[in-house]
Amino acid sequence: MSSEKNPLSPRIDKNGNLDILIAAAECFMEQGYHAASIDDVARRLGSTKGRIYHYYRSKTELFFDVHREGMRRNFEAVTPVMKGPEPAAQRLSAMFRRHALSMMENLALEAVVVQGVEMHRFSATTPEQRRTLAELMTVRNDFESLFKRVAYEGVEDGTIRTSDVSVAVKVALGAINWLSIWYRPRPSETRDDREILADKIVESIMQGLNAPG
Amino acid sequence: MSSEKNPLSPRIDKNGNLDILIAAAECFMEQGYHAASIDDVARRLGSTKGRIYHYYRSKTELFFDVHREGMRRNFEAVTPVMKGPEPAAQRLSAMFRRHALSMMENLALEAVVVQGVEMHRFSATTPEQRRTLAELMTVRNDFESLFKRVAYEGVEDGTIRTSDVSVAVKVALGAINWLSIWYRPRPSETRDDREILADKIVESIMQGLNAPG
């Protein structure tokens, strides 16, 4: 992935801990952050708690790294299509489409990203936790900025129309992020099914609901 | 409000417990459900815990009633503009606009509604709690159905264009519900400011981002 716009920690996967992050994300998604324990994560992994504590001192640290990996995949999905000779509306559509697919295909990780945003407001965190959350929020704002930048390019090249780029991008990202609340894959679902859903979401965002004329 | 479409418990406010619900919603929003205690709610109210326990046996019951009141206000906001002689696209826009304003003006209650949806998936609840959550999810689906009904009317009267009404409505409601994550009123904010923001959100949903032509 492009490292230019991504200030995230590079330690993910170097230590072979990606399966820990996925198992933890699934536990956090299904049980909620507060109810899930390191024991639950170990059980899901079929490993010992010791293996998890080798990488993470606490559940909070684990949660933050899941959040980082979810955001890393968000950046990885959209940055390759940001730039190019196409009109900005076309590039922005491709970014939304890839973000929607990434939400569906990394559902547990991305549900934790949404939980992380919620947690940002909670007071029951230590100063160190608050610093980490602030860092994660900065990354989140950087992600939103990628979309705003291309939307502004679209206002300039005449392919995007909006009275407020910032609100329009928040509306579009909210629509996509809301997938973490309602989307659950059907057992027989294929990549094609997900692409059809992503196309419908992008259609709604780009065309709106009003019939033309 | 129209009672026809609203299966919610009518006990709210009859017992003078609305201020308890508002205080609880603010605590849940700021601290999160798990970190907030009945003590925190009592402190915010300037009352005793006994007053809260007079109405609610547990924090969970209180949380559920906050959720009910948030959903009641959602219905109350949109049902008056659902029907009428106007084209369906115009009525649907009015429903989105009122829902967005209701999200902003009942921010704490509506943030709890969003937390409630998240909680629905958590396993650490009793059978009774699961029944209540299932009931709340039904109410939520009923709310979504109001929008779908008017969107279908718009496909019929030719004022709405979409390849999938269900996805389009989820996209629009997600965009609005996402306000609970990012919207915080500025100290000097007026009703006019909120109406301008609501108009921009509705513009994005109804017109989309693509420039015409």
Side-chain angles (χ1 to χ4, degrees):
Chain A
M1 70 181 292
S2 156
S3 61
E4 177 202 355
K5 279 305 298 170
N6 189 350
L8 299 172
S9 151
R11 78 190 230 223
I12 306 292
D13 217 3
K14 270 195 350 205
N15 301 316
N17 60 344
L18 189 58
D19 54 346
I20 296 178
L21 294 182
I22 304 284
E26 288 170 357
C27 289
F28 291 145
M29 181 175 75
E30 289 174 15
Q31 303 170 247
Y33 171 73
H34 289 276
S37 67
I38 296 275
D39 271 318
D40 294 321
V41 179
R43 206 171 300 122
R44 186 173 286 255
L45 269 175
S47 87
T48 62
K49 281 204 284 186
R51 178 161 168 234
I52 298 168
Y53 282 116
H54 176 71
Y55 295 107
Y56 300 103
R57 278 178 306 172
S58 67
K59 185 169 78 167
T60 307
E61 277 194 6
L62 181 52
F63 180 88
F64 288 149
D65 234 21
V66 170
H67 193 293
R68 283 193 189 91
E69 176 64 10
M71 284 307 301
R72 194 190 65 75
R73 293 187 186 199
N74 281 340
F75 276 88
E76 189 175 53
V78 308
T79 46
V81 294
M82 270 188 73
K83 293 176 184 166
E86 302 84 8
Q90 197 175 321
R91 285 180 280 126
L92 189 61
S93 296
M95 291 169 75
F96 287 140
R97 186 174 190 279
R98 279 165 162 260
H99 182 40
L101 282 167
S102 171
M103 289 293 295
M104 292 184 239
E105 298 191 339
N106 303 296
L107 189 61
L109 287 166
E110 302 306 343
V112 171
V113 170
V114 172
Q115 283 182 27
V117 177
E118 286 286 303
M119 266 186 75
H120 184 58
R121 297 201 299 271
F122 299 175
S123 55
T125 51
T126 66
E128 188 189 340
Q129 289 169 1
R130 277 199 291 276
R131 273 192 300 277
T132 305
L133 275 172
E135 169 212 318
L136 294 176
M137 293 306 290
T138 301
V139 173
R140 201 174 173 84
N141 289 339
D142 289 347
F143 185 65
E144 188 174 309
S145 294
L146 301 182
F147 292 87
K148 281 195 225 168
R149 197 190 307 169
V150 179
Y152 277 118
E153 288 171 22
V155 171
E156 274 178 38
D157 77 11
T159 56
I160 295 284
R161 179 190 58 184
T162 173
S163 65
D164 192 317
V165 162
S166 178
V167 171
V169 164
K170 280 184 160 61
V171 161
L173 291 180
I176 293 169
N177 292 337
W178 201 245
L179 277 165
S180 75
I181 304 286
W182 64 268
Y183 168 77
R184 293 295 173 275
R186 281 164 294 121
S188 62
E189 189 174 287
T190 65
R191 170 83 187 183
D192 275 357
D193 295 326
R194 290 190 288 276
E195 291 192 346
I196 289 167
L197 178 54
D199 285 337
K200 286 175 177 174
I201 291 170
V202 173
E203 175 205 304
S204 285
I205 291 170
M206 298 304 290
Q207 312 291 345
L209 284 167
N210 271 344
Chain B
M1 67 181 293
S2 157
S3 61
E4 177 204 356
K5 280 305 301 168
N6 189 350
L8 299 173
S9 152
R11 78 189 231 227
I12 306 293
D13 216 3
K14 270 194 352 205
N15 301 316
N17 60 345
L18 188 58
D19 54 346
I20 296 178
L21 295 181
I22 304 284
E26 288 169 358
C27 290
F28 292 144
M29 180 174 78
E30 289 174 15
Q31 301 171 249
Y33 171 73
H34 289 276
S37 67
I38 296 275
D39 270 319
D40 293 322
V41 179
R43 205 172 300 121
R44 187 174 286 254
L45 270 174
S47 87
T48 61
K49 281 204 282 186
R51 179 164 165 231
I52 298 169
Y53 282 115
H54 177 70
Y55 295 107
Y56 300 101
R57 279 178 304 172
S58 68
K59 186 170 77 167
T60 308
E61 278 195 4
L62 182 53
F63 180 87
F64 287 149
D65 234 21
V66 170
H67 193 292
R68 284 193 187 91
E69 176 66 8
M71 283 308 300
R72 194 190 67 73
R73 294 188 187 197
N74 280 341
F75 277 88
E76 189 175 55
V78 308
T79 46
V81 295
M82 270 188 73
K83 293 175 184 167
E86 302 84 7
Q90 198 175 321
R91 284 180 281 127
L92 190 61
S93 296
M95 291 169 76
F96 288 140
R97 186 174 192 277
R98 276 166 165 258
H99 182 40
L101 282 167
S102 172
M103 287 294 294
M104 291 183 240
E105 298 190 340
N106 302 296
L107 188 62
L109 287 166
E110 303 306 342
V112 171
V113 169
V114 172
Q115 283 183 26
V117 177
E118 286 285 303
M119 266 185 76
H120 185 57
R121 296 200 300 271
F122 298 174
S123 56
T125 53
T126 67
E128 188 189 337
Q129 288 170 2
R130 277 198 292 275
R131 274 192 299 277
T132 304
L133 274 171
E135 168 212 318
L136 294 175
M137 292 306 288
T138 302
V139 172
R140 200 173 174 85
N141 290 340
D142 289 347
F143 185 65
E144 189 174 307
S145 293
L146 301 181
F147 292 88
K148 282 195 224 167
R149 197 189 306 170
V150 179
Y152 278 118
E153 290 173 22
V155 172
E156 274 178 37
D157 77 10
T159 56
I160 296 284
R161 178 190 60 181
T162 172
S163 65
D164 192 318
V165 162
S166 179
V167 170
V169 164
K170 279 183 159 63
V171 161
L173 291 181
I176 293 169
N177 292 337
W178 202 247
L179 277 165
S180 74
I181 303 287
W182 65 267
Y183 168 77
R184 293 295 173 275
R186 280 164 292 121
S188 61
E189 189 175 285
T190 64
R191 169 86 188 181
D192 276 357
D193 295 325
R194 289 190 290 274
E195 291 193 345
I196 289 168
L197 178 54
D199 286 337
K200 286 175 176 173
I201 291 169
V202 173
E203 175 205 304
S204 285
I205 291 171
M206 298 304 290
Q207 313 289 345
L209 282 168
N210 271 345

